[in-house]
Amino acid sequence: MKGKRHSLFEIKKTILVVDDEPINREILSAILSNDFNVLKAEDGKEAIDILLKEEQKIDLVLLDVFMPYDGREVLKDRQQNRKLKKIPFIVCTSDKNIEEECFHLGVNDFVKKPYENPDIIVARIKRMIELYEDRSILKEVEREKLTNFYNREFFKKYSQQFDSLYPDLKKDMIAISVNRFRLINELYGRAFGDKVLLAITETLNKCLENCRGIVGKDGGSTFIIYAEHHDSYEELFNKLASSINNVVGDIGISIRLGVYPFVDQSMDKEIVIERTESTADSLSNDYTKNIAIYNEEKQAKTLHIEELIDSFQQALEEEQFKLFFQPKYKIKGDKPEFVSAEVLIRWISPKFGFVNPGEFINLFEENGLIGQLDSYILEKAAKYMGEWKKKYGLLIPLSVNLSRVDIYRPTLVEDIIRFVDSNDIPHSAYNLEITESAYVEDAKEVISVVNKIRNSGFKVEIDDFGSGYSSFNTLIDLPFDVLKIDMQIIKSMDRSEKVKEIIKMIINLSKTMEAVTVAEGVETADHYAFLKENGCDVVQGYYLSRPLSLADFEKLIEKDLM
Ligand code: C2E
Ligand code: CA
Ligand code: CA
């Protein structure tokens, strides 16, 4: 070692020399004392005493064979003791036959008697100590402290080895997690959480006595198991549940168990583990089931949903959400007259391609992202109206869809006013569509927000009318300016005369409420003719136009309005 640096490596290691002949002990001491601390024992019994007392301190044992309480007896004792097994033993002997015997007793190396080259002896001892240290460090990294199961990285490695050991065995990957483990730790303390994990650990260890497999521990409370296939995991689940119960009592600690059956050995274990864990996690909010078996189709769907959510922020920043415009036509005169449009969102993603709103609106409503998206659309719509006003000298009214979630955002109305005013648009040209079912859900709250919107001068359209459950008499209390007949009702017109009567009724009702009537999903000349004949004011649908991109919509403006 260079210079006089003090580091851990310069601390002298301790060697226990065991020999019944004083002269041998002295020779060895002389050889070793420069590089090591030397402890001495006169026979096997004393050696064991010292080892049991000072096992922490001793780094290596140099062991004579023939003495009272034979060296081989010491080696046998060592094999019974986990701690002593961590200390390397070198046997000093001149007898070749003894060597083989000792080898079977787990000895690590031999030194020839009589002692010849001291440097070689010292070098040998040093190398052996190093080897052993590396091994115990590796052991520590390989395994998780609490449970002594492999960590994720080593679990993967060993599951590969498990495959090569049993290539023909059908195997499953299993993930077991404690539900709401973090909360349990917070409520009852870490020591309590550890107890739960140890109960699982003990049960798994027991199960593995009768079953070929390996266990790993992944993060907070997840155990991963790679083991021979089982048709059912009910029994394992029950064992685990009752062992937890035994330890912590019945305070409602539950586990979830995910299984990926018949693992394809050529598959990357990382992927198998991920799928198994997310199969288990699919039960996180399910109080009726504790065991889930991997299902490719379902998993792919969940994965896709997660990906969509993960991509949202970037998509918003990169303006991947595009506004499309579906023209609305007045139908009083001989020809339909293009008067306004509904804004419909499209997600054009470099990763997923063209994503329909049907695929992501509900999803984003569930996790609250819809607020950000609708804000963006509300602002963009106002901006386009401002641009057209400048470019064409025309005010083209737009209708923007509001989600039921938006309605509960306290700043909604102020936001809309700001977007519209900063583009110098009259409020009366900016419309908001709210689906009928949102009105019904929390009528009071919705009505108060709708009133606020209307009092600020915007028009409100009740969307999908006839799909919700508002009865005609509650309708009287609902504030709105436009009634949009649900697309499904228009479609059903083809099937039944009765539906036609219902449509007539809705149109009359809308007139009574002094609202404008819009029919959407108008796909055929028959639809169009019927609606015109019965006094519907405005139609929207594929018959007249599909939703258009900005460029196509501007072409329509130039063609029809200029
Ligand atoms: P919606 O508000 O009822 O929109 C009408 C849907 O009918 C649109 O589907 C439109 O493309 C489609 N459509 C129009 N004419 C016809 C037709 O003649 N036949 C048929 N079969 N369909 C027609 P889209 O664009 O897929 O939107 C689906 C839903 O997603 C919308 O239903 C709306 O609830 C929601 N949505 C769309 N854009 C937004 C948005 O910016 N914000 C919010 N919150 N929701 C939106
Ligand atoms: Ca709509
Ligand atoms: Ca609609």
Side-chain angles (χ1 to χ4, degrees):
M1 223 162 277
K2 280 184 213 156
K4 282 212 169 222
R5 260 184 325 123
H6 285 276
S7 80
L8 270 177
F9 301 103
E10 285 167 303
I11 292 170
K12 275 189 179 176
K13 304 284 180 191
T14 300
I15 313 289
L16 174 64
V17 171
V18 190
D19 203 312
D20 59 334
E21 307 236 12
I23 179 75
N24 281 339
R25 292 202 297 271
E26 290 321 308
I27 293 173
L28 279 174
S29 285
I31 294 176
L32 301 175
S33 57
N34 234 347
D35 299 87
F36 305 101
N37 301 319
V38 180
L39 298 175
K40 291 174 231 167
E42 292 181 11
D43 57 42
K45 272 260 180 297
E46 194 188 356
I48 291 288
D49 284 347
I50 295 176
L51 276 167
L52 290 178
K53 240 184 264 156
E54 317 232 33
E55 138 275 313
Q56 295 269 20
K57 231 168 75 184
I58 297 168
D59 298 290
L60 185 138
V61 179
L62 274 176
L63 186 67
D64 180 29
V65 178
F66 300 112
M67 56 184 173
Y69 204 78
D70 198 290
R72 284 163 291 191
E73 295 305 317
V74 177
L75 288 173
K76 281 179 200 160
D77 289 347
R78 174 194 181 223
Q79 281 191 319
Q80 301 304 315
N81 185 313
R82 237 183 63 202
K83 281 183 182 160
L84 297 191
K85 269 207 257 182
K86 287 186 186 159
I87 304 171
F89 275 54
I90 295 180
V91 159
C92 312
T93 177
S94 49
D95 188 336
K96 270 273 164 211
N97 298 327
I98 292 288
E99 274 190 22
E100 200 185 323
E101 203 185 333
C102 291
F103 205 73
H104 289 299
L105 290 169
V107 84
N108 302 92
D109 202 357
F110 301 92
V111 169
K112 251 203 194 74
K113 267 183 175 179
Y115 308 114
E116 286 167 348
N117 189 335
D119 285 345
I120 287 183
I121 295 175
V122 169
R124 265 204 147 125
I125 291 175
K126 281 188 173 165
R127 201 193 56 153
M128 184 55 65
I129 291 175
E130 254 174 44
L131 262 174
Y132 252 67
E133 270 173 351
D134 282 353
R135 228 177 79 177
S136 61
I137 288 169
L138 190 67
K139 269 231 158 100
E140 258 173 40
V141 205
E142 271 184 7
R143 288 170 186 276
E144 201 237 11
K145 271 231 157 57
L146 182 73
T147 60
N148 206 33
F149 289 141
Y150 298 121
N151 64 32
R152 189 186 176 102
E153 278 317 299
F154 280 92
F155 175 79
K156 273 192 298 194
K157 238 167 122 175
Y158 285 110
S159 51
Q160 230 106 38
Q161 287 186 14
F162 189 57
D163 281 342
S164 23
L165 197 60
Y166 302 107
D168 299 324
L169 189 70
K170 302 224 178 317
K171 306 177 202 83
D172 303 342
M173 189 74 79
I174 303 125
I176 298 166
S177 291
V178 180
N179 291 327
R180 281 158 299 164
F181 186 66
R182 199 186 300 171
L183 190 71
I184 293 168
N185 267 339
E186 276 168 20
L187 279 178
Y188 304 105
R190 273 193 83 91
F192 183 89
D194 284 355
K195 260 183 165 179
V196 176
L197 297 180
L198 285 172
I200 298 174
T201 304
E202 202 183 311
T203 309
L204 291 178
N205 276 328
K206 259 189 221 143
C207 291
L208 281 178
E209 285 169 11
N210 315 312
C211 155
R212 280 168 291 183
I214 59 167
V215 186
K217 172 87 193 314
D218 188 19
S221 82
T222 302
F223 295 78
I224 27 180
I225 302 154
Y226 190 47
E228 61 186 275
H229 170 74
H230 282 70
D231 284 333
S232 160
Y233 282 92
E234 291 287 333
E235 194 188 330
L236 176 63
F237 176 84
N238 291 335
K239 275 185 189 161
L240 288 166
S242 78
S243 73
I244 292 172
N245 250 357
N246 285 345
V247 173
V248 301
D250 187 11
I251 55 166
I253 290 179
S254 61
I255 54 170
R256 54 183 188 272
L257 201 151
V259 183
Y260 187 111
F262 302 114
V263 174
D264 171 357
Q265 292 180 25
S266 66
M267 240 172 95
D268 183 355
K269 288 288 185 298
E270 178 64 33
I271 293 173
V272 180
I273 295 171
E274 270 172 23
R275 289 183 179 175
T276 313
E277 290 182 339
S278 75
T279 302
D281 290 344
S282 70
L283 297 171
S284 292
N285 296 314
D286 190 332
Y287 298 99
T288 58
K289 266 173 66 188
N290 305 305
I291 301 172
I293 310 290
Y294 175 81
N295 171 321
E296 189 133 25
E297 230 170 85
K298 209 170 124 197
Q299 197 74 8
K301 217 169 138 191
T302 328
L303 222 68
H304 181 61
I305 287 176
E306 274 168 20
E307 274 189 302
L308 289 180
I309 293 170
D310 284 349
S311 316
F312 174 81
Q313 287 302 343
Q314 198 186 352
L316 198 62
E317 276 158 30
E318 292 179 357
E319 310 218 338
Q320 292 171 15
F321 294 103
K322 301 284 182 206
L323 278 65
F324 272 56
F325 307 89
Q326 188 172 35
K328 295 183 180 178
Y329 294 84
K330 240 188 200 157
I331 56 173
K332 277 253 147 50
D334 293 343
K335 273 189 185 163
E337 182 194 349
F338 163 40
V339 284
S340 63
E342 174 178 6
V343 175
L344 293 161
I345 199 67
R346 300 288 177 263
W347 183 359
I348 298 161
S349 153
K351 197 163 161 195
F352 312 110
F354 195 98
V355 196
N356 266 311
E359 224 177 298
F360 61 83
I361 295 286
N362 284 342
L363 191 65
F364 292 166
E365 279 182 342
E366 273 168 30
N367 54 32
L369 294 174
I370 195 72
Q372 278 185 72
L373 181 60
D374 279 346
S375 253
Y376 171 83
I377 297 160
L378 288 162
E379 183 170 13
K380 273 270 166 175
K383 214 181 111 233
Y384 286 133
M385 287 172 78
E387 280 173 15
W388 295 328
K389 200 177 138 199
K390 280 193 203 128
K391 198 164 155 190
Y392 303 117
L394 287 172
L395 191 63
I396 297 158
L398 289 181
S399 305
V400 184
N401 288 286
L402 278 187
S403 155
R404 62 197 73 215
V405 178
D406 296 323
I407 295 179
Y408 299 95
R409 196 169 70 231
T411 60
L412 175 73
V413 183
E414 288 115 79
D415 288 347
I416 297 175
I417 293 174
R418 199 176 63 249
F419 299 150
V420 172
D421 286 355
S422 64
N423 285 288
D424 204 16
I425 306 284
H427 293 192
S428 60
Y430 194 91
N431 309 333
L432 297 146
E433 298 192 8
I434 300 172
T435 189
E436 182 200 12
S437 54
Y439 276 86
V440 183
E441 263 166 28
D442 189 353
K444 272 214 183 96
E445 180 72 23
V446 177
I447 289 170
S448 103
V449 176
V450 169
N451 279 331
K452 207 168 149 199
I453 296 174
R454 293 180 79 223
N455 292 339
S456 308
F458 304 104
K459 288 201 184 107
V460 170
E461 310 189 17
I462 181 164
D463 200 359
D464 311 318
F465 185 83
S467 68
Y469 303 97
S470 54
S471 61
F472 286 161
N473 51 15
T474 56
L475 191 69
I476 297 171
D477 299 324
L478 302 184
F480 60 88
D481 305 278
V482 176
L483 185 150
K484 287 186 87 173
I485 306 170
D486 185 49
M487 194 151 40
Q488 294 312 321
I489 298 187
I490 303 294
K491 269 197 187 136
S492 328
M493 185 195 320
D494 305 335
R495 281 193 281 113
S496 140
E497 282 301 309
K498 274 190 204 141
V499 173
K500 287 188 175 163
E501 291 309 312
I502 293 174
I503 293 172
K504 280 190 216 165
M505 263 172 60
I506 295 176
I507 294 171
N508 280 332
L509 179 92
S510 174
K511 280 203 163 55
T512 316
M513 304 291 295
E514 293 171 344
V516 172
T517 315
V518 178
E520 66 177 337
V522 174
E523 290 187 348
T524 64
D526 285 349
H527 294 164
Y528 182 88
F530 175 82
L531 290 161
K532 186 171 154 57
E533 194 180 312
N534 289 285
C536 178
D537 303 303
V538 174
V539 303
Q540 172 188 347
Y542 296 171
Y543 177 59
L544 294 170
S545 172
R546 293 194 167 247
L548 303 172
S549 68
L550 176 66
D552 288 342
F553 189 64
E554 290 190 343
K555 272 185 211 147
L556 179 78
I557 298 175
E558 285 158 22
K559 180 172 85 63
D560 277 22
L561 302 182
M562 301 297 289

mmCIF file of all heavy atoms in Angstrom, residues 328 342-344 399-402 433-435 461-464 484 520 540, ligand 2:
data_model
loop_
_atom_site.group_PDB
_atom_site.id
_atom_site.type_symbol
_atom_site.label_atom_id
_atom_site.label_comp_id
_atom_site.label_asym_id
_atom_site.label_seq_id
_atom_site.Cartn_x
_atom_site.Cartn_y
_atom_site.Cartn_z
ATOM 1 N N LYS A 328 -72.565 23.458 -38.165
ATOM 2 C CA LYS A 328 -73.991 23.322 -37.849
ATOM 3 C C LYS A 328 -74.750 24.161 -38.884
ATOM 4 O O LYS A 328 -74.299 25.243 -39.255
ATOM 5 C CB LYS A 328 -74.279 23.857 -36.451
ATOM 6 C CG LYS A 328 -73.632 23.076 -35.330
ATOM 7 C CD LYS A 328 -74.056 23.669 -33.981
ATOM 8 C CE LYS A 328 -73.428 22.919 -32.836
ATOM 9 N NZ LYS A 328 -73.795 23.510 -31.530
ATOM 10 N N GLU A 342 -69.488 23.061 -33.934
ATOM 11 C CA GLU A 342 -69.111 22.487 -32.637
ATOM 12 C C GLU A 342 -67.631 22.126 -32.684
ATOM 13 O O GLU A 342 -67.148 21.571 -33.673
ATOM 14 C CB GLU A 342 -69.940 21.223 -32.347
ATOM 15 C CG GLU A 342 -69.469 20.526 -31.067
ATOM 16 C CD GLU A 342 -70.278 19.280 -30.680
ATOM 17 O OE1 GLU A 342 -71.155 18.858 -31.458
ATOM 18 O OE2 GLU A 342 -69.999 18.749 -29.588
ATOM 19 N N VAL A 343 -66.947 22.425 -31.603
ATOM 20 C CA VAL A 343 -65.529 22.073 -31.503
ATOM 21 C C VAL A 343 -65.421 20.641 -30.970
ATOM 22 O O VAL A 343 -65.991 20.315 -29.937
ATOM 23 C CB VAL A 343 -64.800 23.032 -30.538
ATOM 24 C CG1 VAL A 343 -63.355 22.596 -30.338
ATOM 25 C CG2 VAL A 343 -64.881 24.456 -31.049
ATOM 26 N N LEU A 344 -64.712 19.807 -31.718
ATOM 27 C CA LEU A 344 -64.486 18.429 -31.273
ATOM 28 C C LEU A 344 -62.987 18.163 -31.260
ATOM 29 O O LEU A 344 -62.290 18.489 -32.214
ATOM 30 C CB LEU A 344 -65.196 17.445 -32.195
ATOM 31 C CG LEU A 344 -66.722 17.520 -32.128
ATOM 32 C CD1 LEU A 344 -67.366 16.899 -33.351
ATOM 33 C CD2 LEU A 344 -67.252 16.869 -30.850
ATOM 34 N N SER A 399 -69.294 26.203 -30.490
ATOM 35 C CA SER A 399 -69.770 25.555 -29.264
ATOM 36 C C SER A 399 -68.662 24.658 -28.750
ATOM 37 O O SER A 399 -68.149 23.820 -29.500
ATOM 38 C CB SER A 399 -70.992 24.692 -29.550
ATOM 39 O OG SER A 399 -71.990 25.453 -30.182
ATOM 40 N N VAL A 400 -68.307 24.817 -27.492
ATOM 41 C CA VAL A 400 -67.255 23.992 -26.902
ATOM 42 C C VAL A 400 -67.887 23.069 -25.864
ATOM 43 O O VAL A 400 -68.765 23.492 -25.111
ATOM 44 C CB VAL A 400 -66.181 24.878 -26.238
ATOM 45 C CG1 VAL A 400 -65.036 24.013 -25.708
ATOM 46 C CG2 VAL A 400 -65.660 25.910 -27.226
ATOM 47 N N ASN A 401 -67.457 21.806 -25.851
ATOM 48 C CA ASN A 401 -67.990 20.843 -24.884
ATOM 49 C C ASN A 401 -67.366 21.055 -23.508
ATOM 50 O O ASN A 401 -66.146 21.174 -23.383
ATOM 51 C CB ASN A 401 -67.678 19.417 -25.336
ATOM 52 C CG ASN A 401 -68.509 19.013 -26.533
ATOM 53 O OD1 ASN A 401 -69.696 18.751 -26.412
ATOM 54 N ND2 ASN A 401 -67.886 19.014 -27.713
ATOM 55 N N LEU A 402 -68.192 21.092 -22.499
ATOM 56 C CA LEU A 402 -67.687 21.126 -21.129
ATOM 57 C C LEU A 402 -67.875 19.745 -20.524
ATOM 58 O O LEU A 402 -68.916 19.128 -20.711
ATOM 59 C CB LEU A 402 -68.486 22.120 -20.293
ATOM 60 C CG LEU A 402 -68.132 23.594 -20.368
ATOM 61 C CD1 LEU A 402 -68.943 24.359 -19.325
ATOM 62 C CD2 LEU A 402 -66.645 23.832 -20.147
ATOM 63 N N GLU A 433 -71.478 23.473 -24.469
ATOM 64 C CA GLU A 433 -72.357 22.296 -24.456
ATOM 65 C C GLU A 433 -72.127 21.519 -23.171
ATOM 66 O O GLU A 433 -71.001 21.216 -22.806
ATOM 67 C CB GLU A 433 -72.068 21.395 -25.670
ATOM 68 C CG GLU A 433 -72.335 22.083 -27.000
ATOM 69 C CD GLU A 433 -72.326 21.108 -28.189
ATOM 70 O OE1 GLU A 433 -72.260 19.879 -27.969
ATOM 71 O OE2 GLU A 433 -72.395 21.595 -29.342
ATOM 72 N N ILE A 434 -73.236 21.225 -22.511
ATOM 73 C CA ILE A 434 -73.151 20.415 -21.278
ATOM 74 C C ILE A 434 -74.104 19.237 -21.427
ATOM 75 O O ILE A 434 -75.270 19.421 -21.755
ATOM 76 C CB ILE A 434 -73.542 21.244 -20.043
ATOM 77 C CG1 ILE A 434 -72.598 22.434 -19.905
ATOM 78 C CG2 ILE A 434 -73.507 20.380 -18.784
ATOM 79 C CD1 ILE A 434 -73.010 23.418 -18.838
ATOM 80 N N THR A 435 -73.590 18.056 -21.205
ATOM 81 C CA THR A 435 -74.409 16.880 -21.446
ATOM 82 C C THR A 435 -75.551 16.767 -20.431
ATOM 83 O O THR A 435 -75.408 17.144 -19.266
ATOM 84 C CB THR A 435 -73.531 15.603 -21.464
ATOM 85 O OG1 THR A 435 -74.331 14.532 -21.910
ATOM 86 C CG2 THR A 435 -72.989 15.290 -20.077
ATOM 87 N N GLU A 461 -75.852 25.026 -24.232
ATOM 88 C CA GLU A 461 -76.603 24.008 -24.966
ATOM 89 C C GLU A 461 -76.692 22.754 -24.104
ATOM 90 O O GLU A 461 -75.689 22.298 -23.562
ATOM 91 C CB GLU A 461 -75.885 23.678 -26.285
ATOM 92 C CG GLU A 461 -75.538 24.942 -27.082
ATOM 93 C CD GLU A 461 -75.017 24.634 -28.487
ATOM 94 O OE1 GLU A 461 -75.221 23.505 -28.960
ATOM 95 O OE2 GLU A 461 -74.403 25.538 -29.084
ATOM 96 N N ILE A 462 -77.873 22.219 -23.981
ATOM 97 C CA ILE A 462 -78.006 20.951 -23.263
ATOM 98 C C ILE A 462 -77.817 19.834 -24.295
ATOM 99 O O ILE A 462 -78.558 19.709 -25.252
ATOM 100 C CB ILE A 462 -79.330 20.866 -22.479
ATOM 101 C CG1 ILE A 462 -79.422 19.546 -21.733
ATOM 102 C CG2 ILE A 462 -80.542 21.076 -23.360
ATOM 103 C CD1 ILE A 462 -80.506 19.568 -20.661
ATOM 104 N N ASP A 463 -76.726 19.087 -24.075
ATOM 105 C CA ASP A 463 -76.238 18.124 -25.073
ATOM 106 C C ASP A 463 -76.838 16.743 -24.827
ATOM 107 O O ASP A 463 -77.209 16.419 -23.700
ATOM 108 C CB ASP A 463 -74.708 18.050 -24.952
ATOM 109 C CG ASP A 463 -74.039 17.497 -26.199
ATOM 110 O OD1 ASP A 463 -74.739 17.141 -27.167
ATOM 111 O OD2 ASP A 463 -72.787 17.428 -26.211
ATOM 112 N N ASP A 464 -76.905 15.946 -25.859
ATOM 113 C CA ASP A 464 -77.348 14.545 -25.750
ATOM 114 C C ASP A 464 -78.722 14.422 -25.103
ATOM 115 O O ASP A 464 -78.973 13.482 -24.336
ATOM 116 C CB ASP A 464 -76.342 13.708 -24.938
ATOM 117 C CG ASP A 464 -74.912 13.911 -25.409
ATOM 118 O OD1 ASP A 464 -74.697 13.953 -26.634
ATOM 119 O OD2 ASP A 464 -74.016 14.042 -24.555
ATOM 120 N N LYS A 484 -80.011 20.051 -27.701
ATOM 121 C CA LYS A 484 -79.483 19.172 -28.747
ATOM 122 C C LYS A 484 -80.061 17.776 -28.559
ATOM 123 O O LYS A 484 -79.794 17.128 -27.543
ATOM 124 C CB LYS A 484 -77.951 19.090 -28.671
ATOM 125 C CG LYS A 484 -77.248 20.347 -29.152
ATOM 126 C CD LYS A 484 -75.739 20.145 -29.197
ATOM 127 C CE LYS A 484 -75.311 19.553 -30.542
ATOM 128 N NZ LYS A 484 -73.834 19.510 -30.627
ATOM 129 N N GLU A 520 -78.399 16.321 -33.793
ATOM 130 C CA GLU A 520 -77.045 15.902 -34.209
ATOM 131 C C GLU A 520 -77.065 14.442 -34.641
ATOM 132 O O GLU A 520 -78.012 13.711 -34.372
ATOM 133 C CB GLU A 520 -76.019 16.155 -33.118
ATOM 134 C CG GLU A 520 -76.191 15.340 -31.863
ATOM 135 C CD GLU A 520 -75.086 15.604 -30.841
ATOM 136 O OE1 GLU A 520 -74.005 16.048 -31.231
ATOM 137 O OE2 GLU A 520 -75.327 15.335 -29.647
ATOM 138 N N GLN A 540 -76.800 18.958 -37.500
ATOM 139 C CA GLN A 540 -75.358 18.713 -37.524
ATOM 140 C C GLN A 540 -75.207 17.221 -37.771
ATOM 141 O O GLN A 540 -75.942 16.430 -37.189
ATOM 142 C CB GLN A 540 -74.816 19.104 -36.134
ATOM 143 C CG GLN A 540 -73.390 18.774 -35.866
ATOM 144 C CD GLN A 540 -73.033 19.036 -34.369
ATOM 145 O OE1 GLN A 540 -73.797 19.670 -33.639
ATOM 146 N NE2 GLN A 540 -71.901 18.529 -33.953
HETATM 147 CA CA CA B 2 -71.342 17.992 -27.914
#
